[in-house]
Amino acid sequence: MGLIQDSMTIYKREMLLFQSNLRTNLIRSMIFPLIILIFFGSLGSSITGIPVAVANYANNPSSVQFINSLEANKVVSVTSLTNQETGLGMLHSGTVEAVLVILPSFPRSSNGSPSVYLYYSGSEFSQAGAVLSAIASSAAAFGANVGSSAEQAGLVKTVSTQGTGSNYRDFLVASVILMAVAFGAVFGGGMSIIIDRQLGNIKAFLITPINKKAILIGKLLSGTLQSIIYGILAIIIGLVLGAKIAMGLLGIPYILAMLALTGMAFSGITLLLGSRIKRIEVYTIGAQSFVMPAWFLSGAFFPTSSFPPILQPFSTYDPLTYATNGIRSVMLNGFFPISSMITDFGVMIIFTAVAVIASFILFKNTIE
Amino acid sequence: MAEYSVDIVNITKRFGNLEAVKGVNLKIKHGEIFGILGPNGAGKTTTLNMVLGLLVPSSGHITVEGYDSVKHPEKVKQMIGFMTQETVVESYLTARDNLRIFARLYHVPTAEIEESVNRALAEADLVDFADKPAGTFSGGMQRRLNLVKSMIQEPRVLILDEPTTGLDIQSRVNMWSEIRRLNKKGITIILTTQYLEEADALCDRIAIIDHGKVSAIGTAAELKKIVAKGRVLSVSAAHDDVPALRKLLGTVLGSESAEKDGRIEVQISDRPLYQLRKAAEAIEKAGIDVHEISIRLPTLDDVFIKLTGASFRDTTVEQQSSLTRLRAGV
């Protein structure tokens, strides 16, 4: 019997254990996606009548019509017509959630720069997405560009236009799916090896004539499959809560491929950690301090373009950024430039290959 | 057939600067029940781990049923069943699944797996519980499952690491009869134990390992002869008086003493009654109140104390426990 059969024996054993504890495993994997999508996701979609102050410097028929169309939109409620300074004061005091400044050039500026500026509080990021998308869709009817300003540093944030035309929940779904996968690997991969060692199972495996690498391969496969199951569960939760896959059925294999790569990479990394760390507490710290930043930096809650310059490079080198980007393109935009697809897949394939190879080289069958 | 069931020839094992095993030689015969005794950190576990193929000896070699442990590790692993002191069963899985997994791990041919599993279930008297999660079993049932699981591949040698530690008397006696039953089927049994009475009752031969070396080997009777010339003087006293009493007896009798459960025991080599009188007079003179004073024949415990200088349950040698943190080479 060779390595493959031995690996399959370990894999089957892991999956039997997974099944015997199926309810607990699934519930555990569902808690975070549910909480994040229900609590954070509903912020952007269910809130209507967000108070917005408007400073209209154009004062032409188009701009008046634009303001009327905004008022017709339920998301935004125009509370006052004022100048920019007063509006920003109201934003500071919290009377309004955003200030819309219509420049004299509205609807179309000569050099193509934005003719509508939106100021909004950085602490109300979820509403900002909704406001921005509502305003952008209204402005688009007039052929105007919406810019958002980074003036008033600290209070005002820019948001990329990715996610425009969708709500914040849809924006979150992609990252929540990946979170379910990455955190699933923390439990299914590395944690299982520490528990097995503590229970004496690793020793019990090693006294049998199996190939030692089979322990790693079996657990890598089962960890990956379990992660994919968690990811699919998160997709279903997202869809039930109203998210859509803009690309349709074609997008599903793409998403699954991203999940498989992410699941395998994180299983490899956590198995490597678990094989070298004795205590569950230390392992949890190690795994969390790796997975959490990787997840946040991938643009889980904010688009990566809104990150402060100091975080931008981290985000660029975070493989999860590309997985998130890929899934988000499929779910929000329904299309993506082929170059972006090549980049996203290329980065994820390289990342997964490096993680798996590293786990093969550095994995230790520590007994005690 | 190889001359010995397990032949350990001059093996050593180093961990960095520490030499955990310093030239152990053991020739274990076919069908023997062989006991290995030693204080914690003496090198027992390291030696067993080398026999099991979890560690590679730094020097020397081991053959099991004629197969070299380094050259043919798969063959050796097939020959050996091993039951750890922790009861390793998957508590979420059924007894049947527990056994199936190990049948596959031991490369039992697929066509024979169900047969092996059913045989093992019958042997462990668990047929009625085959499809219940092992976690719902009593301690004794789990231990039985663990034992048949370690023997699913029908090994020729069975290694038991402290098989009865933590068991109640009833279960211990059952385990002893189970071990004897397996031994009658011709299986060579190697066991480590904390209980000297267990070694005395069960083992054909016993090796005492200390500081990485075999300090004595033989039948229980042969080992007792090491101290059998003399007797053991045993004195018990109130807890506060014990240190002074121990010092006094050491001076008067001029031989080593050991303390165990509030009782001082001194090996005396000749003229036991004279020594008893000498001790009694000195104690009376010192004005120490004793609860009991007696002389008795030595036991295996005394052999152990004489050879290792430590009472068996004494765990002072724990600095070596880091040595048991093993890494099986990848």
Side-chain angles (χ1 to χ4, degrees):
Chain A
M1 292 233 195
L3 178 59
I4 295 169
Q5 281 98 324
D6 289 343
S7 303
M8 289 317 288
T9 302
I10 299 285
Y11 165 81
K12 280 182 196 154
R13 178 252 182 194
E14 298 292 323
M15 293 313 288
L16 266 177
L17 278 178
F18 175 74
Q19 279 170 32
S20 68
N21 236 337
L22 190 64
R23 206 171 6 162
T24 317
N25 286 327
L26 294 187
I27 290 173
R28 188 193 59 217
S29 81
M30 282 164 69
I31 290 173
F32 274 115
L34 275 172
I35 289 176
I36 291 178
L37 288 179
I38 290 174
F39 287 86
F40 291 85
S42 63
L43 294 178
S45 64
S46 64
I47 288 175
T48 54
I50 302 165
V52 174
V54 177
N56 186 353
Y57 293 108
N59 247 332
N60 51 21
S62 296
S63 64
V64 173
Q65 221 181 328
F66 172 47
I67 293 166
N68 288 339
S69 76
L70 272 183
E71 280 185 312
N73 187 320
K74 295 223 167 65
V75 178
V76 174
S77 112
V78 176
T79 54
S80 59
L81 299 166
T82 174
N83 63 20
Q84 183 172 350
E85 201 181 335
T86 320
L88 287 175
M90 293 166 85
L91 181 60
H92 276 282
S93 65
T95 320
V96 294
E97 297 291 348
V99 180
L100 179 66
V101 178
I102 304 169
L103 299 182
S105 57
F106 189 85
R108 224 174 277 270
S109 63
S110 53
N111 59 3
S113 62
S115 55
V116 176
Y117 271 84
L118 183 72
Y119 295 82
Y120 52 94
S121 164
S123 63
E124 300 293 342
F125 55 87
S126 60
Q127 298 193 3
V131 172
L132 186 61
S133 70
I135 290 173
S137 61
S138 292
F142 297 89
N145 290 324
V146 178
S148 44
S149 174
E151 267 178 40
Q152 306 284 321
L155 186 66
V156 175
K157 273 202 174 259
T158 57
V159 161
S160 89
T161 51
Q162 190 181 45
T164 303
S166 56
N167 66 28
Y168 188 59
R169 178 185 293 148
D170 295 351
F171 179 83
L172 275 179
V173 168
S175 56
V176 165
I177 294 167
L178 287 170
M179 182 198 68
V181 173
F183 282 84
V186 172
F187 289 102
M191 187 79 89
S192 77
I193 206 154
I194 297 186
I195 291 172
D196 274 339
R197 179 161 60 245
Q198 287 182 349
L199 295 177
N201 287 326
I202 298 293
K203 187 170 182 178
F205 293 156
L206 289 175
I207 59 167
T208 70
I210 58 162
N211 189 313
K212 286 172 191 165
K213 289 284 182 213
I215 298 175
L216 171 63
I217 298 172
K219 280 180 179 284
L220 190 62
L221 293 177
S222 66
T224 307
L225 183 62
Q226 289 172 26
S227 293
I228 296 173
I229 292 171
Y230 297 144
I232 291 173
L233 209 57
I235 297 175
I236 294 170
I237 292 172
L239 294 178
V240 167
L241 291 178
K244 301 235 170 346
I245 301 174
M247 194 184 243
L249 284 177
L250 262 180
I252 290 173
Y254 184 94
I255 296 175
L256 290 181
M258 276 294 181
L259 295 190
L261 287 170
T262 311
M264 184 168 273
F266 277 84
S267 295
I269 293 167
T270 58
L271 279 169
L272 164 56
L273 280 179
S275 78
R276 289 175 163 264
I277 296 175
K278 208 172 155 187
R279 288 169 51 201
I280 282 189
E281 296 87 338
V282 180
Y283 165 77
T284 311
I285 295 170
Q288 301 279 40
S289 58
F290 173 78
V291 175
M292 287 295 265
W295 184 56
F296 279 115
L297 288 169
S298 72
F301 281 121
F302 316 104
T304 50
S305 57
S306 71
F307 284 171
I310 193 165
L311 288 181
Q312 294 280 2
F314 291 102
S315 172
T316 308
Y317 290 110
D318 177 2
L320 264 191
T321 303
Y322 299 88
T324 309
N325 192 51
I327 295 180
R328 221 165 250 170
S329 306
V330 168
M331 295 193 76
L332 298 184
N333 302 338
F335 64 92
F336 40 83
I338 191 78
S339 62
S340 149
M341 182 177 151
I342 290 168
T343 314
D344 293 343
F345 257 112
V347 168
M348 285 310 292
I349 287 168
I350 292 168
F351 171 53
T352 306
V354 169
V356 169
I357 290 167
S359 69
F360 267 80
I361 295 171
L362 299 170
F363 185 83
K364 283 231 178 248
N365 279 315
T366 309
I367 302 169
E368 281 168 37
Chain B
M1 203 191 226
E3 193 184 353
Y4 294 101
S5 178
V6 177
D7 193 3
I8 301 174
V9 183
N10 212 16
I11 52 163
T12 64
K13 184 67 193 175
R14 292 182 155 279
F15 297 100
N17 288 329
L18 282 163
E19 199 169 18
V21 174
K22 305 167 186 169
V24 165
N25 286 286
L26 293 173
K27 295 192 185 304
I28 297 162
K29 297 170 202 158
H30 294 283
E32 191 170 34
I33 302 184
F34 192 89
I36 298 179
L37 306 182
N40 287 346
K44 286 179 307 215
T45 309
T46 308
T47 304
L48 285 187
N49 280 331
M50 286 189 274
V51 177
L52 288 165
L54 293 173
L55 288 174
V56 176
S58 302
S59 68
H61 68 270
I62 300 167
T63 54
V64 178
E65 298 288 334
Y67 292 105
D68 186 281
S69 71
V70 176
K71 284 180 204 145
H72 305 286
E74 288 81 16
K75 292 275 187 199
V76 167
K77 285 172 174 183
Q78 289 285 13
M79 293 293 165
I80 303 178
F82 176 64
M83 192 173 91
T84 47
Q85 58 191 86
E86 319 91 42
T87 308
V88 187
V89 294
E90 303 277 13
S91 49
Y92 291 117
L93 301 186
T94 62
R96 196 182 292 281
D97 280 338
N98 266 288
L99 294 169
R100 274 182 190 148
I101 289 168
F102 272 80
R104 288 197 202 107
L105 289 171
Y106 272 109
H107 300 164
V108 173
T110 314
E112 294 167 26
I113 285 179
E114 289 311 307
E115 194 194 322
S116 300
V117 167
N118 288 331
R119 180 178 41 81
L121 285 167
E123 227 167 89
D125 203 9
L126 289 172
V127 176
D128 295 340
F129 302 92
D131 298 305
K132 297 216 162 43
T136 62
F137 291 2
S138 72
M141 289 160 83
Q142 290 193 11
R143 191 80 58 145
R144 272 170 10 228
L145 176 59
N146 197 23
L147 183 63
V148 292
K149 192 189 79 176
S150 340
M151 300 189 62
I152 193 88
Q153 84 282 25
E154 299 183 60
R156 306 271 280 276
V157 179
L158 181 63
I159 297 181
L160 303 161
D161 191 9
E162 304 195 0
T164 61
T165 299
L167 287 191
D168 56 77
I169 301 291
Q170 179 69 45
S171 305
R172 187 188 300 181
V173 170
N174 288 344
M175 184 55 81
W176 285 5
S177 59
E178 182 63 20
I179 291 170
R180 286 199 189 96
R181 192 183 66 79
L182 290 169
N183 181 241
K184 283 216 180 79
K185 285 165 69 180
I187 297 169
T188 307
I189 289 171
I190 303 174
L191 63 90
T192 68
T193 177
Q194 287 191 25
Y195 306 111
L196 290 150
E197 62 272 26
E198 180 163 287
D200 210 344
L202 210 53
C203 298
D204 298 319
R205 283 194 306 150
I206 298 159
I208 294 176
I209 293 188
D210 192 27
H211 298 298
K213 282 180 178 161
V214 178
S215 52
I217 186 165
T219 63
E222 283 165 356
L223 291 181
K224 281 178 195 167
K225 274 185 198 148
I226 295 172
V227 286
K229 274 188 291 175
R231 297 286 183 274
V232 176
L233 173 72
S234 166
V235 188
S236 71
H239 181 75
D240 293 347
D241 292 331
V242 167
L245 193 59
R246 189 172 173 183
K247 201 175 159 198
L248 179 73
L249 290 173
T251 334
V252 175
L253 303 175
S255 60
E256 267 186 43
S257 63
E259 192 192 322
K260 189 185 142 198
D261 309 331
R263 177 183 287 273
I264 298 159
E265 305 210 312
V266 190
Q267 312 269 348
I268 41 185
S269 46
D270 57 348
R271 300 179 66 199
L273 286 172
Y274 167 73
Q275 301 275 31
L276 173 66
R277 203 178 72 209
K278 220 167 87 176
E281 279 168 2
I283 293 166
E284 196 184 16
K285 213 165 151 192
I288 299 171
D289 187 25
V290 295
H291 297 165
E292 191 199 323
I293 182 162
S294 62
I295 48 171
R296 59 171 174 78
L297 280 165
T299 64
L300 208 50
D301 220 351
D302 302 311
V303 180
F304 194 82
I305 291 165
K306 174 151 184 162
L307 290 173
T308 67
S311 172
F312 196 67
R313 286 169 193 84
D314 190 348
T315 53
T316 50
V317 211
E318 274 185 354
Q319 74 269 14
Q320 284 198 2
S321 64
S322 63
L323 296 180
T324 55
R325 212 189 147 193
L326 304 170
R327 284 167 200 278
V330 172

